[in-house]
């Protein structure tokens, strides 16, 4: 059995990542998707899920640097931290696979604000914002053209 860190500054805590995605949730998702490791490993499946999430946070660096960022707090307080090779981290990523991350996404996605929060709703509709979209194409239907103030045949675009 693995110990769960006691607080946000405890050894073994992965910062904000474990506050949004707690150990218990990761373990439940691994169990549900059938991705729990079958034998005792230096890099268990739970670590693999956090590694995959950290890879998304640091897409510009390689496996070893992501691992170092993920475990820096634990190594800083004198805990033994595995020093896997890039191949071992690649194998961990492949072994865990996409199913647990997909399930975590399904569990965690949704609106964060309450319906009564100002700006969240416009009438009965929930508001949405787009950030950094490079092109949104809208069909040239009569209704779209009349509401946009543009002429037919012109593509509606959002430029970042």
């Amino acid at each position: 059995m693995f110990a769960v860190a006691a607080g946000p500054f405890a050894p073994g805590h992965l910062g904000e990542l474990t506050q949004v995605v707690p150990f218990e949730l990761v373990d439940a998702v691994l169990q549900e998707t059938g991705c729990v490791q079958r034998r005792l490993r230096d890099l268990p499946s739970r670590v693999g899920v956090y590694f995959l999430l950290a890879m998304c946070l640091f897409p510009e660096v390689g496996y070893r640097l992501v691992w170092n960022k993920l475990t820096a707090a634990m190594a800083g307080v004198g805990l033994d931290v595995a020093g896997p090779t890039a191949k071992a981290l690649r194998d961990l990523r492949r072994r865990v696979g996409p199913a647990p991350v997909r399930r975590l996404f399904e569990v965690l996605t949704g609106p964060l604000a309450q319906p009564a929060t100002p700006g969240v709703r416009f009438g009965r509709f929930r508001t949405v914002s787009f950030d950094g979209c490079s092109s949104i194409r809208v069909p040239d239907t009569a209704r779209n053209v009349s509401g946009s103030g543009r002429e037919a045949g012109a593509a509606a675009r959002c430029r970042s």
Side-chain angles (χ1 to χ4, degrees):
M1 188 49 107
F2 301 100
V4 176
F9 301 108
H13 195 282
L14 302 174
E16 294 296 322
L17 204 52
T18 54
Q19 289 184 10
V20 176
V21 186
F23 295 129
E24 298 84 9
L25 177 59
V26 172
D27 289 343
V29 164
L30 286 168
Q31 190 72 37
E32 182 180 323
T33 57
C35 295
V36 179
Q37 71 275 357
R38 292 181 181 85
R39 58 189 171 102
L40 187 60
R41 298 176 175 267
D42 285 339
L43 299 173
S45 297
R46 178 199 290 171
V47 171
V49 170
Y50 286 110
F51 179 67
L52 288 169
L53 293 173
M55 284 176 47
C56 296
L57 295 174
F58 306 106
E60 68 282 351
V61 300
Y63 287 172
R64 289 286 303 148
L65 288 175
V66 171
W67 179 260
N68 291 342
K69 287 178 180 290
L70 188 65
T71 60
M74 293 184 286
V77 294
L79 290 175
D80 284 336
V81 177
T85 63
K87 181 188 178 308
L89 292 169
R90 182 200 68 200
D91 292 345
L92 172 64
R93 181 178 150 239
R94 288 180 178 171
R95 181 169 36 93
V96 170
V101 178
R102 182 180 304 122
R103 184 65 186 127
L104 272 175
F105 178 80
E106 292 168 356
V107 169
L108 294 173
T109 56
L112 295 176
Q114 297 299 317
T117 304
V120 171
R121 295 207 171 265
F122 179 75
R124 64 182 177 97
F125 300 105
R126 186 168 42 118
T127 57
V128 178
S129 70
F130 292 93
D131 185 19
C133 60
S134 58
S135 67
I136 296 177
R137 298 180 188 273
V138 179
D140 282 329
T141 63
R143 185 174 179 190
N144 287 342
V145 171
S146 68
S148 69
R150 62 183 174 87
E151 53 190 70
R157 300 181 72 79
C158 171
R159 301 202 179 183
S160 54

